Amino acid sequence: MLSLLNYWWRIVATGFCFSVFGVGGVILSVLVFPLLFLLPIGAGRKKEMAQFIIHKGFAGFVWLMESVGVLRVHIEGQEKLKDHPSSLIIANHPSLIDVVILISLRSKVDCIVKQAHGKKPFTRGGVGAAGYISNGKPKEPITSYDRRLQAGLGQ
């Protein structure tokens, strides 16, 4: 009986967490990122601010998932992520959670994202505001990221 109750709790809690993720993404896309672009600051600073907002939002989302018991996160070698400000981190992930956790650990990241994420209502605003690179054209992500690394902008 307890395992059945735990099973249903995890389903409800997971649904709740992903609802929060979706609603949060829409709020950021509709309210926060458009307001960010009205600020009288340079495009590079706006991108950094958008990445910081996403970083904090993802950190909050990871905290929420841990708090309600959906998952437990244990990270080995976390200090390596902070030791190299310009680095390429590749997440070989079966779900979006890996990337959410990685971004929750670093405030400045350039991501190569699935082209569809630039069109979904709960991810579109963040993808554009943060200057993430679409994988829409096969060679474009590597070329774009290489240019950013050469310019010292890759995080």
Side-chain angles (χ1 to χ4, degrees):
M1 178 66 175
L2 191 57
S3 66
L4 183 62
L5 187 60
N6 183 46
Y7 171 78
W8 283 107
W9 167 252
R10 288 180 56 79
I11 287 178
V12 170
T14 300
F16 170 72
C17 287
F18 282 97
S19 296
V20 168
F21 184 88
V23 169
V26 169
I27 290 170
L28 289 173
S29 292
V30 172
L31 295 175
V32 176
F33 294 129
L35 289 174
L36 177 66
F37 281 97
L38 294 176
L39 294 176
I41 56 176
R45 182 72 180 122
K46 288 177 186 179
K47 176 185 159 186
E48 285 180 7
M49 290 175 72
Q51 288 183 2
F52 182 76
I53 291 166
I54 293 168
H55 158 70
K56 287 299 185 184
F58 283 2
F61 183 66
V62 171
W63 173 85
L64 174 66
M65 289 189 301
E66 287 185 299
S67 296
V68 299
V70 170
L71 57 78
R72 283 180 291 166
V73 177
H74 173 76
I75 301 165
E76 291 183 26
Q78 181 176 348
E79 69 282 352
K80 293 177 184 175
L81 292 174
K82 294 179 181 168
D83 289 344
H84 304 286
S86 290
S87 54
L88 177 61
I89 301 167
I90 300 173
N92 182 9
H93 56 91
S95 71
L96 181 64
I97 299 303
D98 306 34
V99 175
V100 170
I101 292 169
L102 283 169
I103 293 173
S104 78
L105 299 173
R106 290 189 61 160
S107 60
K108 293 181 184 179
V109 293
D110 283 325
C111 294
I112 297 173
V113 298
K114 188 189 237 182
Q115 184 177 20
H117 291 318
K119 297 176 182 174
K120 293 179 182 178
F122 52 90
T123 54
R124 174 180 46 228
V127 167
Y132 293 158
I133 303 164
S134 172
N135 73 348
K137 296 177 183 171
K139 292 183 181 180
E140 174 104 16
I142 301 303
T143 305
S144 295
Y145 195 72
D146 185 48
R147 278 194 304 263
R148 290 181 189 196
L149 280 176
Q150 295 299 324
L153 301 175
Q155 300 294 323

